[in-house]
Each structure stands twice: as C-alpha cells, then as structure tokens.
Amino acid sequence: MSVLIIIFLTAVIALFAGVFEQGKFSRYIGILGLMIAFYVSFLPEISFFSQYQHMFEFGANAALFTKIAIVITILLFFLGGFSFSNHRNHQSELYALMLFSLCGGIILFGFQNLVTLFLGVEILSIPLYVLAGSNKTDLRSNEASIKYFLMGAFATGFLLFGVALIYGSTGSFDLYKIHEFAVVNPKNLMFILGAVLMLVALAFKVSLAPFHMWSPDVYQGSPSLITAFMMSVVKIASFFAFFKLMTIGFLGITGEWINIIGVLIIITLFLANVMGLAQTNVKRMLAYSSVSHVGYLSLIFYGMNSLSSYNLAFYLFAYSLATVGVMMCLIWVEKLKRETSYTAFNGLGHTEPILAVAATVSLLSMAGIPLTAGFMGKFAIFAQAIDQAPFLVLVAVLGSAISIAYYLRLIMVMFFPKESSFKTSEKVSLTYNIVAVFIIFALVAMGVFPDLFAKQFGL
Amino acid sequence: MSYLLLTLLLLPLIGSVLVFAWKNPASKYLALGIAFAQMLLTFYMLTGFDFKPTVDGVLQYEINYPWSNYIKSNLHFGIDGMSMLMLLLTNILTPLIILSSFNEKPGYRNTFYGLILLMQFGLIGVFTSLDGLLFYIFWEVTLIPIWLIAGIWGQEDKKIQFTTRFFVYTFVGSLFMLIGLIYVYNHSASFALTDLYNADLTSGAQTVIFWFIFFAFAVKLPIFPFHSWQPDTYTYSPTQGSMLLSGIMLKMAVYGLLRWLLPITPEPILGLSGQIVLVLAIIGVVHGALIAIIQNDSKRLIAYSSLSHVGLMTAGIMASAILTVKGTLMIEGGEGALIQSFAHGINVVGLFYCADILYKRFKTRDIRQMGGLARVAPKFAVLFMVILLGSIALPLTNGFVGEFILIKSIFDYSIIAAVIAGTTMIFSSVYLFRFYAKAMFGEGDEEVLASAADLTGVEFSVLASLVVFVIFLGIFPQPILDMVNSSLKFIFTSMMN
C-alpha cells in the first residue's frame, strides 16, 4: 500500500513539474519515485494500512509482481523517447499517465475484492486510452486510441455484468468469500455464468484469442514506448489479476472454465503465431508475438502447484525484459527511419552492436532458446502442465516452432547483410547502451542461474 | 571435482569471449592457440584415463555441483569411454578447422573464430553432461553459433532461405526432445542420467517419448525423411561451417541416441518402432548413395555421401539394440557406430576441405568443369586420394573398421538388411572415384591449370594431419574399441532390464 501511495504521489509531482519544464523533470522525478517505491517494496508493510485488508492485500505474491512491474517501468523511463515529432511540448503528462496506469496495476496485484479489481482494471486502462492516442497527428495512433477505448468499454461491460452475477449469487464482493461459496456450491448456474463473463472480460484485457483482435492495431498504432509499456507492465498486471481471480476466486469450479481456457489457448497459439509469420512490420509482428505469449502463459492454469505463481512471475519478468530489449531497438530505428518494417533494421548489428545484441538475446529469449530467461520460463510452465494437458503442451511446442521463424527473421535482418543501411554519424545514447547491457545481463543471468531470481525476490 | 574437465569445458568459452572482444586480425592466432591447448589438454586427460574400468560405465573426471533447486537439476559432468572418444574428435578437429580458414578473408574475422570456439564449448558440454537439462541446453547452444556462421558467411544469394530452414528444422526437433525429456523428468526423481534411466514410464508413454526424442536426433543426423535441410545447408555454408556440421555436430545425435534415447526408452525398440527406425536408416543409406552418384556439385555430393554413412551408423546401432532388448547382449553396433563416427568425422572434414581447395583452384563447385589437377598438384592428389580411400572404407584405412563392424552387426539381425546396407561400399566407390577422376585427371582447362598451384603450407598441414589419422586408425583401431567397450556394455545392459 505504501508503494502505491509513493507512486501515486510521484505521478502527481511529475504532472505538476510539467508546468515548469517540458518533460525532462518529470522523467527524472518518475525514475526517482519509482526507485524509492522499489526500495520500499522490500520493507515490511506499515501497520497503519492494515485496515484496508478486506479490499487490498499486499502479500508475498503482490509484492513480487509489484517489484517486477516497477523494474520494467524504470527501464522504460530510462528509454524516454517519445520520438514522435510534434509532441515534445507535453511530455510530463505522458509520464504521469504511465505512472497512474502503474498504480492501477499495483491495485490489481493486491486486489482482494471485486470492487478493487474493477477499480484496478479501470485505473490501469483509462490512462492507456489517452496514451495510445498521444501522437495526435498520426492517424494510426488515433485509431489505436479509439479502438482500445471501445474494446476496453466492452470488456468493462462484461466485467461488471459478471461481478453483478457473482454478487447476486454469493452476496459478497470478497474474493475469499467467493472462493468459499464456489467450493460449497460448485453447480450454481448464476455463479458459473458470472465467472464465465469475468473470464471473457479478462481475456479481452490480456488479449487471449479470439478476444485479441484489438491488440495488433493498438500495439502498432501507439507510440512505441507506450506499446512497450502495454506489452510488459499492463500485461503483467492484467494477467496476474486474471490468474488470481481464476485460481483463488473460481478455484471451486475449475472444471467449468478450464476447458474454455484450453480452447482459447489453442486458438491463440495458432492464430497469433501464423499471423505473426505473415507480418512485414516488426512492431506488428511483436504485437502478435505478445498475443502468442499470453497463450503460453495460460498453460499456467494446468497442473497448478505451490510454485505456479512463482513460475508465472518468472515467465512474465523474462518476457517483459525481452520486450523492452526489442522495443528499445525498435524505438531507436523508428526515430532514425520513421518506420518499422523489417528492412528498416537492415544491418543494425554492424552499426549498433550492443543494441542489436540486446534485441537478439531478447528475441532468442522470447523464442525460448536455452541459457536465456525465456527458456527457463517456458520450461517451468511446460513441465508443470505436461501431465495434465499433454495435448496443449504439444500445441504450445508447435506454436513455438512457428514463432521461431519470425523471431529469426529480425535477427537475420540485423546481422546477415554485409552492408548497413544506417548513417554512422548518429550514435545511440549512453543510457540506451546501459539499458541494453542490463537487459542482456539480466536475461542471461536468469537463464543460467534460475535460482538467483528466487533469492532476489524473497521466495 | 575435476579441475581438468572444468578447464576443458570453460577454456573455449573464455577463449570465445576473448576472441569476440579482440577486434584484430591476429585474433585468429589466439583462437588457434586456444583450440590447440584444448587438444593437448584432451591428450593429457587421455593419459590419466582408465580404459578398462572394473565396473562398466564408470565415470571419470566427474564434476557434480548443485545448480538449481527450482528445477531439480545438477551441474553434472563426467567422462566415460564414449564421451572421451567424442571429446577427442571435437578437440582434434576444431584446431584443424580453425587452421583451415587461415587463408581466407571472411570479414569480421574475430566474430567468426569466436563463434567456432563457442560451438566447441557447446559440443564439449553435449558430450560430457550427465544431466538431461544440461544436455538439452548444450544441444541448443551448439545451434546458435553454427547458424550464425552459416548465415553470415554463407553463400550470398541463398543463405537466408537455407539457414532459416536449417534452424527451424533442428529447433523443432529439439523442442520435441525437450517435451520428451520433461515428461520423463516428471516421472523420475530428477534430471540426473541414472534417474532418467530408471524413470517410471508406461509402455505407451515410452513409445511416444521414443519418437519425440528420436525426432531431434533424426533431424540432426539426418535420417531419411528428415534430411531435406541437410544438402542445402552443407552446400551453402562456408566450408568451415560444413566441416563443423558434418564432422562433429551430427555425431551429437549418434552419441545422444546411445546415451540418452535407447536406455531411457528400451521398450519401443522391441516393438515396431525399432524396426521402423532400422528401415528408415537403411533407406537413407541407399537413397543418399544413389543421389550422390548423380551429383555434379562437389559439396552436395559429399553431403549426400554423409547421409548414406550416417544411415549405416544408425542402422547398426538399432540392429544391435533390437537384439539386445530381445535378450542377447550385442554391442557391436554401438562400437561400429562410434568408431565410424570418429572416422567419418576425420574423412568428411578432409573431403570438404578438398572440395574447398578444388573450388579455390577451379572457381566452381561443378565437378564437370574440373579436370587434370593431378598434373600440377601432385601432393594434393596423394593426400586427397588417401582421404578418399578412407571414405570408401578400403581395408587399412579408418573407414573400413567401422563399416565392417556395422555391417556385421546388421548381418546378425537380418541378412537381407545387411546386403542392402552393404551396397553403400560399392556406391561410395562409384561416386567418390567419379568425383576424383573428374577433378584430378582428364582434360582440364589449360588456362586454369597453368595458374593453379599445389597445396599451400596451411592446406598441406591440415590435410596431412587428417591423413595421419586416416592411416593410423586404419592400422590400430583397437584402442578406440577398447575405449568405448565398457561404456557400451553399461548402456546396452541397462536396456535389457
């Protein structure tokens, strides 16, 4: 709770700092505030806040995911780079909105009540509707904003209807009361209907196919930094909420929804990977890849054990780091070339080796090549699910097999041509290189020493 | 804790990092030095190696260190006779492969050599790891460098298409192996080799796992229907890439078949699966050889000949395995396959290098446009001939011993299969002599021949070193047979119960 307050205050300060200076201050204030919040998240919770415990619980899992989300947001703040042209004047609002959205995420990590869940989802999403459209002169950005808003509104409708039905059947918003009710009355039709509606709403939020159709357009249209934020932090938050709701609240009726998720996984993995293969634009390819990762992640619902939430954290952190690694490369290319097709990356490996290697390691991690974090994440989830759902794991493997082709394509474009299409005069900034080295280091370290992460995050 | 093995494992890794970092033409000497030190270290380890342990399958130079509690896996490395042979192959060939590229100017040279050393690191890891997950990790680690080598320095117009196909094929194979291993792991106590051997698996599960894991090996080897990536990749890779791929990398699959597949899933061998593999392997033998006969592209010809030889190794292993599972302990197939792995490694590297030398002289890979080089390059003609004879499996060359034992082991299982597989000896002399005769004798383009020189110092030293092994192993194969005997007995015995 104290973390949430710190980040909220940081956001407010960053917003007002924009009055005096355009953007720069807010960014550093944001970084500073996030670092303080990161430090505070390791401290025991102040007892004053314990009165919120029936709405919000800041347990071990919530703390773990909060730390991950903060780390990723700090990295994104370091990248800065709202590289679109006409918008240099109103940057502090954007940073502040990102922080507000992160607040929503943290509420989702700690929700214990369906009202808190709803609040979290909305606080997470509403700033994003604005952020997606923040490049006002770009039609795609406007389209992204509207599409995201409309889809978000639909999802909210489903969510609220689901909550109403759940409340109608159980008489409570409390997650644990719902859990008890579901264990005692697993066949209550109104309850099951509510659970399914909420599942659909959250499937919209995490973009599980076929509820994913907004995401490629939104991810492509939004400014790249925002896309990276949506692919990483927003995904962590919404997926964790999904996970927590399903595995705590609706645990008693697992049999009713697990098959629905199974079908969604199959559709997601095939659709996203095949569509990803067909893309010529890297940003859009990454959008489909992001959808496909939700498919792999959803295998977490099978063969649940005490390590599952840790496996989820590992995978999400690995995936988010990798996303930042590729997106920073993309932000740089977009800044120079004003476009993000594959050919725009031609020979990047020769002019910006550190950046390109970071992107390569990230892509290999996404593909699940050993000695990277992504491999360990995939491994843990597959190992957990294989006994209960061998067929789904097989589908996931086939999905990975398809996905490797489009990840490789980007690596090949960066390294294989003999000539580079980049001007040598403009070099990438030191901050970018530091973030790149950090990402390479983190991804490899998590892949080589998988236990290291556990110690770092107090598990 | 053995520091010798640890050094052997880490030296190429550290070396590759140094070579990557040192952007200087002289980095090639550093790379060669590290690879050479690695070779000497292997020979030194050989002197302390117990060839005839009292208990079969004893591991020497063991390293065992807990790695991850999260995944029950240990950093467990060790060597038995089989691993030792593979280490010898890797560490003898790597310095020669590095040396063989000294005359070339491939651009970004330090990256090139760094990748070769990284590959060596992966290979040593594959051949020494005794933990399922480590094996898989190193198996994949070898893939990245070879893919980059093929992709960056491959033949310009075709490389993107073929390197992608190569990577996707082998990656898909590996993924299936991973799933198989994970399943076995879930039914055993940990990823340790012995735990995986003793995993509690039903007969049906074993069959599925057998095919999942076999798929990875079948793609790497490659076995008949999974080979379509191989000729193209061998052809369009740079010569050093083809050497690494065919000389060392495919031996990972032979090794994996013996160490990781057969003892974990013995039951399907007895059933239909074992026979299907045997039949596929024999189809590969004949298919590869027949296609090699009509090839005009020198590298493609060698690629298909490799397909044929590898098929024979697999067939030999499977024949012995089937007999063993039926109740009579037979290890000849394994012995033959391992000695043939070693011999084939030496020979195929030699052949690819000869093809490269011919390419440098004639500026073409088409053997129809070559001719008459023997007149101007007698040294080359002799060394090429010896390597060729090794490939054809003439008695007293290294290829003979392996092929003889392999065909004998197939003969023990089925005479008809042995007759069909034995045709490889005839066919290989047809296509290789055709290659040699076209290139070295006959009418050549006089202008080209006038400018063609005999071997340079680098070329001579590489080929001569290979020839030494061809002849030496042809005359004294016994040390290798002794070396692998005890580990094979252990592996084949654990298949019986």
Side-chain angles (χ1 to χ4, degrees):
Chain A
M1 193 63 170
S2 35
V3 177
L4 186 60
I5 291 170
I6 291 170
I7 293 178
F8 176 72
L9 288 178
T10 311
V12 174
I13 297 170
L15 191 60
F16 281 102
V19 176
F20 305 104
E21 212 277 345
Q22 306 292 358
K24 279 228 169 87
F25 271 167
S26 329
R27 192 171 146 205
Y28 297 122
I29 290 167
I31 291 171
L32 186 71
L34 284 169
M35 281 178 167
I36 295 169
F38 186 65
Y39 174 73
V40 169
S41 67
F42 283 90
L43 304 177
E45 187 64 278
I46 303 164
S47 58
F48 173 74
F49 295 123
S50 56
Q51 57 186 297
Y52 288 96
Q53 60 183 321
H54 290 298
M55 294 294 274
F56 186 82
E57 49 165 4
F58 202 71
N61 278 342
L64 175 68
F65 282 86
T66 305
K67 285 165 199 165
I68 294 173
I70 292 176
V71 170
I72 300 295
T73 317
I74 292 176
L75 288 178
L76 289 174
F77 268 60
F78 270 120
L79 297 185
F82 285 99
S83 56
F84 40 92
S85 55
N86 73 326
H87 214 273
R88 295 189 198 285
N89 293 334
H90 296 284
Q91 291 201 4
S92 44
E93 290 87 333
L94 302 180
Y95 290 115
L97 283 173
M98 278 168 82
L99 289 172
F100 283 130
S101 181
L102 178 64
C103 286
I106 291 171
I107 293 173
L108 283 180
F109 296 139
F111 84 91
Q112 199 201 325
N113 192 299
L114 296 189
V115 176
T116 333
L117 171 73
F118 177 70
L119 275 178
V121 167
E122 290 308 300
I123 296 176
L124 179 78
S125 311
I126 290 171
L128 288 174
Y129 304 147
V130 180
L131 285 169
S134 57
N135 192 2
K136 282 179 240 162
T137 50
D138 184 0
L139 278 179
R140 279 187 181 280
S141 185
N142 291 324
E143 181 201 346
S145 180
I146 292 194
K147 212 165 218 168
Y148 198 25
F149 173 68
L150 286 177
M151 285 303 162
F154 272 122
T156 305
F158 277 103
L159 188 67
L160 276 180
F161 195 20
V163 170
L165 287 174
I166 300 279
Y167 184 74
S169 51
T170 64
S172 170
F173 286 126
D174 190 281
L175 192 62
Y176 294 98
K177 294 240 170 67
I178 291 168
H179 172 85
E180 280 161 26
F181 180 87
V183 172
V184 180
N185 310 303
K187 293 287 171 209
N188 186 316
L189 192 63
M190 194 198 274
F191 184 83
I192 291 171
L193 200 59
V196 171
L197 282 174
M198 289 188 79
L199 187 150
V200 169
L202 286 165
F204 261 115
K205 284 289 165 197
V206 299
S207 65
L208 260 175
F211 308 112
H212 74 293
M213 59 292 207
W214 55 273
S215 61
D217 292 332
V218 172
Y219 288 171
Q220 192 193 359
S222 307
S224 298
L225 189 73
I226 303 304
T227 309
F229 185 73
M230 289 199 276
M231 283 176 177
S232 53
V233 175
V234 175
K235 199 139 271 185
I236 295 172
S238 44
F239 201 92
F240 181 73
F242 186 35
F243 176 75
K244 195 171 173 182
L245 181 70
M246 286 317 201
T247 56
I248 296 178
F250 302 147
L251 187 66
I253 54 159
T254 305
E256 317 293 330
W257 51 261
I258 194 97
N259 292 330
I260 300 178
I261 290 192
V263 174
L264 297 188
I265 289 175
I266 295 173
I267 302 174
T268 306
L269 287 173
F270 272 113
L271 209 64
N273 283 316
V274 171
M275 291 301 284
L277 205 58
Q279 301 308 316
T280 51
N281 185 307
V282 174
K283 207 165 164 184
R284 211 172 165 80
M285 177 275 275
L286 287 171
Y288 278 108
S289 133
S290 167
V291 174
S292 80
H293 278 276
V294 179
Y296 305 122
L297 265 173
S298 301
L299 284 171
I300 197 91
F301 293 111
Y302 292 85
M304 290 279 297
N305 58 39
S306 56
L307 269 176
S308 290
S309 53
Y310 177 64
N311 289 345
L312 182 68
F314 195 98
Y315 193 104
L316 278 171
F317 190 41
Y319 165 70
S320 304
L321 275 177
T323 301
V324 177
V326 186
M327 287 306 287
M328 65 184 289
C329 203
L330 187 131
I331 290 173
W332 169 249
V333 171
E334 196 180 31
K335 192 174 164 192
L336 290 188
K337 298 271 179 77
R338 303 255 153 236
E339 55 137 354
T340 53
S341 64
Y342 277 97
T343 43
F345 286 75
N346 249 343
L348 184 71
H350 302 318
T351 42
E352 294 297 345
I354 298 177
L355 209 58
V357 168
T360 304
V361 173
S362 304
L363 288 166
L364 292 178
S365 175
M366 283 187 189
I369 303 279
L371 296 187
T372 59
F375 169 70
M376 285 296 169
K378 270 208 179 104
F379 173 85
I381 287 182
F382 287 1
Q384 183 198 313
I386 193 165
D387 272 318
Q388 211 193 334
F391 178 69
L392 285 180
V393 174
L394 190 64
V395 171
V397 164
L398 291 176
S400 306
I402 304 172
S403 74
I404 189 76
Y406 56 78
Y407 293 131
L408 285 190
R409 197 167 149 207
L410 184 55
I411 303 177
M412 290 198 278
V413 167
M414 289 193 293
F415 284 99
F416 287 5
K418 289 237 157 59
E419 298 298 319
S420 171
S421 67
F422 285 86
K423 283 177 286 179
T424 43
S425 55
E426 202 165 355
K427 280 285 171 192
V428 77
S429 71
L430 184 66
T431 332
Y432 267 64
N433 277 333
I434 291 171
V435 175
V437 170
F438 174 81
I439 284 169
I440 297 170
F441 176 77
L443 284 176
V444 174
M446 279 169 72
V448 178
F449 308 106
D451 286 13
L452 202 73
F453 178 74
K455 281 178 200 142
Q456 202 59 46
F457 284 92
L459 261 172
Chain B
M1 187 80 176
S2 159
Y3 291 102
L4 267 179
L5 184 58
L6 196 66
T7 320
L8 194 74
L9 196 62
L10 292 182
L11 189 65
L13 181 65
I14 297 165
S16 75
V17 173
L18 290 178
V19 174
F20 276 131
W22 195 30
K23 283 184 185 165
N24 187 308
S27 58
K28 66 179 179 182
Y29 296 106
L30 179 65
L32 183 67
I34 288 164
F36 197 70
Q38 190 80 357
M39 183 169 82
L40 293 181
L41 190 63
T42 320
F43 285 140
Y44 179 70
M45 283 170 79
L46 201 59
T47 59
F49 188 76
D50 184 3
F51 280 81
K52 290 187 174 160
T54 43
V55 183
D56 284 333
V58 167
L59 298 157
Q60 302 172 41
Y61 297 108
E62 231 174 315
I63 301 174
N64 198 348
Y65 189 75
W67 175 37
S68 168
N69 296 321
Y70 178 41
I71 297 157
K72 289 183 276 312
S73 176
N74 280 2
L75 290 175
H76 192 183
F77 299 96
I79 294 177
D80 62 358
M82 211 163 93
S83 311
M84 191 71 219
L85 183 70
M86 290 300 164
L87 285 185
L88 277 172
L89 177 73
T90 311
N91 292 337
I92 287 170
L93 287 181
T94 313
L96 291 177
I97 290 171
I98 291 179
L99 184 65
S100 74
S101 72
F102 265 30
N103 287 342
E104 297 186 26
K105 306 241 176 311
Y108 305 103
R109 300 186 62 97
N110 62 326
T111 317
F112 184 72
Y113 294 114
L115 288 172
I116 292 182
L117 288 178
L118 195 62
M119 174 96 187
Q120 193 185 20
F121 163 70
L123 289 164
I124 293 172
V126 166
F127 293 137
T128 57
S129 47
L130 299 169
D131 184 282
L133 189 64
L134 277 189
F135 172 74
Y136 176 77
I137 287 176
F138 280 109
W139 177 273
E140 289 290 85
V141 164
T142 54
L143 184 58
I144 306 286
I146 191 70
W147 171 65
L148 287 173
I149 288 175
I152 301 178
W153 292 276
Q155 188 179 315
E156 196 60 46
D157 49 337
K158 302 269 178 77
K159 65 187 185 183
I160 299 278
Q161 183 189 351
F162 291 118
T163 49
T164 312
R165 201 206 295 179
F166 161 63
F167 195 100
V168 171
Y169 248 102
T170 44
F171 184 72
V172 173
S174 316
L175 274 177
F176 276 97
M177 174 163 79
L178 178 67
I179 296 304
L181 285 176
I182 290 177
Y183 191 86
V184 182
Y185 159 73
N186 274 1
H187 293 259
S188 72
S190 75
F191 260 122
L193 182 65
T194 42
D195 285 339
L196 294 183
Y197 280 9
N198 299 323
D200 175 29
L201 298 171
T202 62
S203 178
Q206 280 201 23
T207 310
V208 176
I209 292 164
F210 176 85
W211 283 104
F212 270 43
I213 301 182
F214 177 75
F215 184 50
F217 298 148
V219 168
K220 204 76 132 202
L221 274 166
I223 298 277
F224 163 65
F226 310 108
H227 69 282
S228 66
W229 61 271
Q230 183 241 27
D232 295 324
T233 310
Y234 283 16
T235 311
Y236 300 110
S237 295
T239 304
Q240 282 70 32
S242 317
M243 288 171 167
L244 283 169
L245 270 168
S246 61
I248 318 177
M249 204 168 166
L250 72 79
K251 307 310 185 298
M252 289 178 5
V254 176
Y255 174 88
L257 213 57
L258 285 167
R259 167 92 72 208
W260 293 98
L261 179 59
L262 302 183
I264 291 179
T265 58
E267 275 186 45
I269 303 169
L270 193 61
L272 196 60
S273 305
Q275 285 172 26
I276 294 174
V277 173
L278 187 71
V279 169
L280 290 180
I282 289 176
I283 293 175
V285 171
V286 181
H287 171 82
L290 286 177
I291 294 186
I293 291 177
I294 53 159
Q295 290 306 314
N296 289 320
D297 183 312
S298 57
K299 282 177 97 176
R300 238 184 155 72
L301 186 149
I302 302 169
Y304 278 110
S305 93
S306 175
L307 180 64
S308 161
H309 283 114
V310 168
L312 194 64
M313 292 180 214
T314 318
I317 292 175
M318 284 319 288
S320 285
I322 293 172
L323 289 175
T324 305
V325 178
K326 277 186 179 158
T328 35
L329 179 65
M330 298 287 268
I331 62 164
E332 276 90 347
E335 275 184 334
L338 286 173
I339 194 169
Q340 178 72 346
S341 294
F342 195 84
H344 177 258
I346 303 275
N347 293 335
V348 82
V349 165
L351 283 177
F352 270 121
Y353 198 42
C354 290
D356 187 47
I357 292 170
L358 287 170
Y359 177 73
K360 294 241 171 61
R361 306 289 185 277
F362 291 108
K363 304 278 178 277
T364 172
R365 284 199 311 261
D366 190 338
I367 59 178
R368 285 169 303 187
Q369 294 171 25
M370 301 176 182
L373 193 66
R375 258 188 295 142
V376 289
K379 277 194 274 182
F380 177 55
V382 172
L383 294 177
F384 187 8
M385 192 68 201
V386 178
I387 288 170
L388 193 98
L389 292 176
S391 272
I392 290 171
L394 193 80
L396 292 186
T397 61
N398 60 356
F400 175 71
V401 193
E403 237 162 69
F404 176 79
I405 303 175
L406 283 171
I407 289 177
K408 193 221 164 234
S409 66
I410 301 172
F411 186 88
D412 288 338
Y413 175 71
S414 150
I415 298 174
I416 299 168
V419 170
I420 299 172
T423 53
T424 177
M425 289 177 126
I426 305 164
F427 291 140
S428 70
S429 49
V430 174
Y431 58 75
L432 284 173
F433 277 129
R434 175 169 163 269
F435 177 25
Y436 190 83
K438 282 254 163 77
M440 305 307 282
F441 304 120
E443 291 298 307
D445 186 337
E446 289 302 329
E447 269 179 47
V448 174
L449 285 180
S451 61
D454 205 350
L455 298 178
T456 63
V458 167
E459 289 168 345
F460 182 79
S461 45
V462 173
L463 280 184
S465 322
L466 291 171
V467 161
V468 169
F469 282 104
V470 171
I471 294 172
F472 181 78
L473 292 173
I475 302 172
F476 294 112
Q478 198 56 39
I480 289 188
L481 295 178
D482 288 343
M483 197 193 286
V484 299
N485 195 290
S486 114
S487 27
L488 284 174
K489 265 191 199 145
F490 174 73
I491 286 167
F492 278 76
T493 318
S494 53
M495 271 155 48
M496 290 176 85
N497 34 39

